[in-house]
Structure formats: structure tokens, C-alpha cells
Amino acid sequence: MSIAVLLADDQALLRAGLRMMIDAQDDLHVVGEAGDGVQAVALAARQHPDIVLMDIRMPDVDGVEATRRICAGRLAGAGPKVIILTTFDLDQYVAGALQAGASGFEENTQIVHGLGQLGLKPTLHQAPVGQTDLAGDDEPVTG
């Protein structure tokens, strides 16, 4: 079964690079690209991806609010997992994104490097590198 991935980032070059690396994998495919949070929410509702790779800082609606909107539509665990892409692993917005329903986060530079080394596939198949502690203390756990 192929994993459907939605890319949401305002940098077209980054989206193009991610698409190229994801589409090169047999069990991953890109179902859409969004340049801002409004587009990401609309495409997630229309394309039903398994994973959304969401930039945290985008014009119009940022990644935190777009994540909140996408995750609000999930029923009983159905719907996409959102992995936040950020410049810094301790970005001030990451906690807000995790509280909004993101499954985890990854640094932009690491995810691009990881894709090149096939390191993203375990993230997409299992769980994201950064996630909230399931014990409930809401502290991000980084891998």
C-alpha cells in the first residue's frame, strides 16, 4: 500500500525537492502541494492524504492553525498525521502545533537529509521524530 503525502510549504523549491525524493519511493507518493495554510487545509480535505508535511511558518494561515483545522476534522483517529517542518528543533511554535494535533515535528534540514538517506520512510510509517509525551506532560520528545 502506498502512503499518500501532502506537502505544505511556502518555498516552492523545498516542495519540489521533497516531491522528487518522495515520488522516487515505491511506497510513497505526493497527492498535492500547498503554498500556504489555506491551501493545505483545502487539499487535505479533498485529497485525504495519510501524512501532511507542514511548514510551521507560512503566509495567510500558518502551519499551527492549518494543523488545528486539519486535525479538527479527524474522527476517532482517522485522517492524516501532520508532521511539522521547522527551522529549529525547539521552535517556539512547535509546542502549539503539537497541541493543535500535530503528530510530531522535524527540522527542515534534517528531513531533506533524511529523505536522501531514506530516513523519512520510518517517520511516515511509524511515528514522527518529535511527538508529545503520551504520559500527558505535553513536553516534546525528540529523536
Side-chain angles (χ1 to χ4, degrees), residues 77-139:
K81 290 185 179 181
V82 177
I83 300 173
I84 296 295
L85 303 178
T86 182
T87 306
F88 305 102
D89 63 350
L90 297 177
D91 190 292
Q92 65 184 11
Y93 298 105
V94 169
L98 293 171
Q99 290 173 348
S103 296
F105 69 96
E106 184 65 73
E107 290 182 61
N108 286 352
T109 56
Q110 293 300 318
I111 207 158
V112 170
H113 175 73
L115 274 170
Q117 302 299 314
L118 305 181
L120 180 61
K121 285 174 78 173
T123 300
L124 295 179
H125 284 287
Q126 301 166 359
V129 170
Q131 62 186 25
T132 57
D133 182 346
L134 298 179
D137 63 9
D138 291 329
E139 289 295 316

Side-chain angles (χ1 to χ4, degrees), residues 18-54:
L18 288 171
R19 174 183 278 277
M20 191 170 54
M21 289 184 279
I22 289 170
D23 283 343
Q25 306 304 309
D26 292 337
D27 58 349
L28 302 174
H29 69 282
V30 175
V31 294
E33 294 183 27
D36 62 44
V38 172
Q39 292 174 354
V41 173
L43 281 171
R46 191 167 53 246
Q47 298 295 333
H48 307 288
D50 299 305
I51 298 286
V52 178
L53 296 180
M54 177 84 69

